[in-house]
Amino acid sequence: MRRSNLPAELNRFVGRAAEQAALTALLETSRLVTVVGVGGVGKTRLALRAAAGAQNRYGEGVRLAELAPLRDPDLVAYALVEALGLTDHTPKAPREVLLDHLAERRMLLVVDGFEHLVESCAPLVRELLAHAPGLTVLAVGRRPLRVAGEAVFPLAPMDEADAVALLAERAAEAGAPVVPVNRAASLVPGTGTVLAPEPGAAAVRELCRRLDGIPLALELAAGRLPLLSVEQMLHRLDDRFRLLTDGERGALPRHQTLRTAIGWSHELCTPEERLLWARLSVFAGPFDLEAVEYVCGSRELPPERILDRLGGLLAQSLVSREDTPAGPAYRLLDTVAAYGAEWLAALGDTERMRRRHRDWYMGLATWCELEWFSPRQPEVAARTEAALPNLRAALDVCLEFPDDAHLAQHLAGTLWFAWVGCGRLSEGRHWLERALALESGHEEARLKALWVLGYVAVLQGDGTAAVAALHECGERARSTGNALAEAYATHRMGCLALLSDDLPRAESLIGRALDSYRELGELNSNVLMGQVEVAMARAFRGDLEGAVAICREVREVCEERGEQWTRAYALYVLAYSAWTRDAFAEARELLTECVSINHTFRDLVGLVLAIELLALVTVSEGDPAEAAVLQGAAVPVWDTVGIRLFGSEAFDGPRALCEQRAAEALGTEAFDHAVREGRCLPLDAVVERALAGRRDPALAGPADPTAPRPFRTARSAGVPGTRKPAGSPTGKGGEAAG
């Protein structure tokens, strides 16, 4: 895990030296510090600055959880799990995952934008602090959490000097004329010469006072300085103050000032910019240009003009730009978005725009599902991660309206690759179960959600839930003649049998499903994974040669199609085969690629299996100490995956043999010490060690020909359904089917 997930600063941090020092000092004495203040006062920026400066005090570093995009209180714990970079495949509640992970770690957790979720956030923070003595929480919001031991840090607006400096700096960044900043007449030391006040400095100070020193208001003003002089802005702002003061007598003065500044910026926008601003408020988190053009475009706001209007909002600091793994993205500040949402509601267009937003992200999910089986697979993973806040918002909309229950089931099922392939099983199950609790009246959507829920439950080790979902899916599919959904249900029942060591049943069920896939023209990652699962069953039953033949075929199809996720599992089986032939260098090369792919996709099941086998290769190369470290490193990963090696004797073979050989070579005490060392390694360090662990072949000891093999090697007849599947008649793979 990286020591920090804090975003890089996009421009220079200005002022606030005293506040930063005070907040840093408070973090040294309090385990819960909450920075509170009016919207736009700079709470988040100061907190992130203080957190970055303090991270060396925390062994596990600093993690940021942004809660502002969330609307569902039940997702708070999931957001914290994601912020910590955890991937948990077990049926454990996310709260339990957090408690287990943080129990013995020294970490600073920054929780930003919690105020609308305080009823669920406060009890969770209280429980985490009670059970994790090394945890410090820096919360950022408009009100305190009201948790025992909380140290509240009220953040006031900037003083005059800092406010003037901020205005001048941001104006320069916007390309405005130089803003005068000297405060008054001054004496040049040692000369007796008095410098006159810089022309215009008084107007600048007056503008900063009128804006109450609120950083967001100052930055909005700076964005207008390329077009207006300070004096012109003061005149316009005077009018705006008078207008809004009469209409909002109940508002807090500083909140009123901020709304004045935002409203004034709103008035200075063109009609199309104002309309775009209102419509952008339906997005949660970052969004890209394509999404804006679809969601916000209309006859009044033609899509071809949106780029220019978005640029106008960007130039006025109303929209910020950020770089994500999926490419450039944009974001509305929370306060700005809230103002836009009020205008959208006044236009009576909120529900329509939320549905358009939902439609776009349903389309994106469908595109990602199809492209998952393509060379764009890493891009799909990155785009899905970047779009996750908006996908959650789309699911919320589907669940909010009873007539859209089938869309909720369809979207939750379509995102199977995000839940399974990108390590989000627990959150996927949350959405799938909520969607399936509704009666949609659309059988195809329900069937897809059922088999995906069954798949998720299988990988979580929850056999009872898996059987219930897959049995219902199979029965309903047969009664409605949906052969493809029935094949998926059969396939996943076979997967459950594989993990339960019922190998003949696994081979039979998955083989039957593969026959159906071939007859229906279904070819995608699920189909290829089914072939690998048959190969595993064959290997466990002693037919290693047959297993290798299948996996070589799968690897060819994956390379032809650019598929990486399933390919990693095929490489695992091929690496084991290489180990049995004492081809340790080949096995290591295959496994390092396997580790790299699984880590990229956050697939902990594939990753930990590869690490266990790599440990066996390492001890066979003559390095039992490193093998024991790798074995130890696998233990905490299994804790997040579920029952170690699924409770399967077959999957446990490589681990058991490695442990036996390493313990014999090192002795019990040295072996246990190395295992403990491995258990303390963060996941990223384990992956880095595995990828950098190539050994000089001259140092590798010979394999022990008398050592027992975890698998037997034998020849056997071909298994039905293991031939190369036919291409989808659509040419698009068929991921959206079922």
Side-chain angles (χ1 to χ4, degrees):
M1 182 190 298
R2 292 178 293 136
R3 286 184 50 77
S4 166
N5 67 339
L6 301 181
E9 292 186 324
L10 299 180
N11 49 26
R12 194 172 74 87
F13 186 84
V14 179
R16 298 288 203 191
E19 293 94 331
Q20 184 179 341
L23 181 56
T24 300
L26 194 55
L27 286 170
E28 294 178 355
T29 58
S30 301
R31 293 184 55 220
L32 172 58
V33 179
T34 303
V35 182
V36 298
V38 66
V41 81
K43 301 183 297 294
T44 297
R45 187 73 187 266
L46 178 67
L48 295 183
R49 183 78 170 184
Q55 65 178 316
N56 289 336
R57 299 209 306 260
Y58 302 92
E60 299 292 329
V62 180
R63 309 299 292 182
L64 167 65
E66 296 181 286
L67 303 187
L70 298 184
R71 294 294 174 265
D72 183 353
D74 292 338
L75 289 181
V76 170
Y78 289 102
L80 297 190
V81 167
E82 184 177 357
L84 295 178
L86 302 180
T87 306
D88 191 274
H89 287 283
T90 70
K92 291 188 295 187
R95 182 183 297 261
E96 186 179 348
V97 172
L98 290 168
L99 292 172
D100 290 346
H101 179 77
L102 293 171
E104 299 180 1
R105 286 177 163 81
R106 182 169 172 76
M107 175 183 290
L108 175 61
L109 176 61
V110 183
V111 180
D112 187 22
F114 65 82
E115 56 269 3
H116 61 303
L117 301 165
V118 69
E119 298 301 327
S120 57
C121 190
L124 178 58
V125 168
R126 181 188 301 114
E127 188 174 5
L128 294 178
L129 290 169
H131 290 82
L135 175 67
T136 298
V137 175
L138 175 56
V140 184
R142 300 190 187 186
R143 56 174 169 162
L145 283 165
R146 306 294 185 196
V147 171
E150 179 181 31
V152 178
F153 186 91
L155 184 61
M158 286 181 150
D159 62 28
E160 183 181 288
D162 282 352
V164 170
L166 178 64
L167 181 69
E169 176 115 355
R170 298 297 184 255
E173 292 171 1
V178 175
V179 173
V181 296
N182 72 317
R183 299 179 51 162
S186 59
L187 180 67
V188 179
T191 67
T193 303
V194 177
L195 294 179
E198 189 174 356
V204 171
R205 294 198 301 275
E206 176 65 15
L207 178 60
C208 292
R209 281 195 296 269
R210 285 299 188 98
L211 295 176
D212 269 349
I214 298 175
L216 175 56
L218 293 166
E219 297 201 6
L220 294 176
R224 275 294 168 181
L225 282 174
L227 301 175
L228 299 171
S229 70
V230 173
E231 289 76 10
Q232 287 174 313
M233 293 174 67
L234 275 172
H235 176 72
R236 288 171 177 264
L237 192 57
D238 281 341
D239 291 341
R240 184 67 187 174
F241 264 121
R242 283 193 293 270
L243 176 64
L244 287 188
T245 298
D246 291 340
E248 298 192 15
R249 292 191 178 92
L252 294 174
R254 283 172 182 155
H255 188 215
Q256 190 178 71
T257 299
L258 179 61
R259 286 185 55 80
T260 297
I262 295 177
W264 168 69
S265 291
H266 188 266
E267 288 183 352
L268 293 175
C269 290
T270 67
E272 286 187 348
E273 287 173 343
R274 288 198 291 267
L275 184 58
L276 178 58
W277 178 351
R279 291 177 175 179
L280 288 176
S281 67
V282 299
F283 287 95
F287 47 82
D288 59 29
L289 180 60
E290 287 181 297
V292 176
E293 289 174 336
Y294 176 85
V295 175
C296 302
S298 68
R299 185 176 60 184
E300 304 91 344
L301 185 60
E304 62 271 15
R305 294 215 291 267
I306 281 180
L307 177 59
D308 289 339
R309 303 302 167 258
L310 187 62
L313 296 178
L314 188 66
Q316 298 172 66
S317 300
L318 294 163
V319 170
S320 62
R321 182 187 183 277
E322 58 189 62
D323 291 321
T324 73
Y330 305 90
R331 185 195 295 263
L332 277 181
L333 295 174
D334 295 337
T335 307
V336 175
Y339 193 94
E342 291 178 9
W343 275 87
L344 190 63
L347 294 171
D349 208 19
T350 300
E351 183 175 322
R352 186 182 72 88
M353 292 307 301
R354 290 182 70 204
R355 289 181 183 274
R356 282 186 65 83
H357 172 275
R358 176 207 62 198
D359 292 346
W360 170 263
Y361 283 97
M362 287 194 68
L364 177 66
T366 301
W367 178 86
C368 286
E369 185 187 31
L370 291 169
E371 294 300 322
W372 180 257
F373 185 52
S374 80
R376 297 188 184 91
Q377 205 171 57
E379 177 190 344
V380 168
R383 290 198 68 174
T384 303
E385 181 171 0
L388 190 59
N390 284 296
L391 289 167
R392 288 169 175 159
L395 283 161
D396 275 331
V397 171
C398 294
L399 291 166
E400 183 178 328
F401 300 105
D403 291 344
D404 290 348
H406 65 292
L407 299 179
Q409 293 169 357
H410 175 77
L411 181 54
T414 296
L415 288 169
W416 70 266
F417 61 91
W419 316 139
V420 172
C422 300
R424 291 190 173 87
L425 291 179
S426 184
E427 181 172 350
R429 185 164 175 177
H430 167 81
W431 291 113
L432 288 160
E433 289 180 338
R434 286 188 64 189
L436 286 166
L438 305 174
E439 186 52 58
S440 67
H442 291 250
E443 197 67 8
E444 188 170 338
R446 184 172 187 85
L447 289 174
K448 184 165 189 175
L450 280 168
W451 74 254
V452 174
L453 175 60
Y455 190 10
V456 166
V458 166
L459 294 179
Q460 287 186 312
D462 189 349
T464 302
V467 169
L470 295 172
H471 177 75
E472 180 184 347
C473 181
E475 289 295 312
R476 295 178 78 130
R478 280 187 287 275
S479 67
T480 58
N482 191 322
L484 189 55
E486 183 181 359
Y488 276 108
T490 301
H491 178 178
R492 293 309 160 197
M493 288 292 283
C495 182
L496 178 61
L498 175 65
L499 300 186
S500 305
D501 284 337
D502 190 349
L503 303 180
R505 176 174 168 78
E507 207 169 332
S508 172
L509 288 172
I510 300 173
R512 199 165 79 208
L514 289 170
D515 283 339
S516 296
Y517 292 149
R518 186 174 59 256
E519 291 169 5
L520 295 167
E522 186 82 342
L523 175 60
N524 54 42
S525 299
N526 280 305
V527 175
L528 295 177
M529 188 65 79
Q531 291 185 276
V532 174
E533 289 158 353
V534 167
M536 288 178 171
R538 281 189 160 197
F540 294 153
R541 298 183 72 187
D543 182 11
L544 191 58
E545 184 176 336
V548 167
I550 294 171
C551 287
R552 284 177 176 163
E553 189 175 276
V554 169
R555 181 171 65 175
E556 288 177 8
V557 177
C558 288
E559 290 172 351
E560 175 185 326
R561 297 293 186 125
E563 211 280 357
Q564 297 185 39
W565 176 61
T566 308
R567 181 169 173 266
Y569 284 87
L571 295 177
Y572 169 82
V573 177
L574 295 174
Y576 176 76
S577 171
W579 175 81
T580 64
R581 294 182 280 104
D582 299 336
F584 304 138
E586 178 186 347
R588 179 174 289 279
E589 183 176 357
L590 291 165
L591 286 170
T592 52
E593 186 175 2
C594 184
V595 166
S596 178
I597 293 171
N598 285 317
H599 189 50
T600 296
F601 291 117
R602 296 176 44 169
D603 183 351
L604 288 194
V605 172
L607 179 60
V608 72
L609 287 173
I611 290 172
E612 294 271 20
L613 186 53
L614 186 60
L616 178 58
V617 171
T618 301
V619 75
S620 301
E621 291 174 323
D623 193 349
E626 179 66 12
V629 170
L630 290 173
Q631 280 219 311
V635 173
V637 184
W638 277 117
D639 290 341
T640 62
V641 169
I643 301 172
R644 193 172 305 178
L645 291 152
F646 318 112
S648 162
E649 292 184 7
F651 279 98
D652 190 48
R655 186 210 61 79
L657 178 57
C658 177
E659 179 178 345
Q660 173 193 330
R661 294 178 64 181
E664 288 175 354
L666 294 171
T668 302
E669 185 176 348
F671 174 78
D672 290 344
H673 177 79
V675 168
R676 285 195 298 272
E677 178 186 345
R679 291 185 68 139
C680 295
L681 291 175
L683 183 59
D684 282 354
V686 176
V687 171
E688 185 177 347
R689 193 161 182 153
L691 297 180
R694 296 175 183 272
R695 292 175 49 79
D696 185 339
L699 299 178
D704 180 359
T706 65
R709 301 294 195 196
F711 310 150
R712 301 181 305 279
T713 55
R715 296 179 179 273
S716 68
V719 177
T722 59
R723 298 186 299 278
K724 184 174 180 178
S728 166
T730 66
K732 295 182 179 179
E735 292 280 18

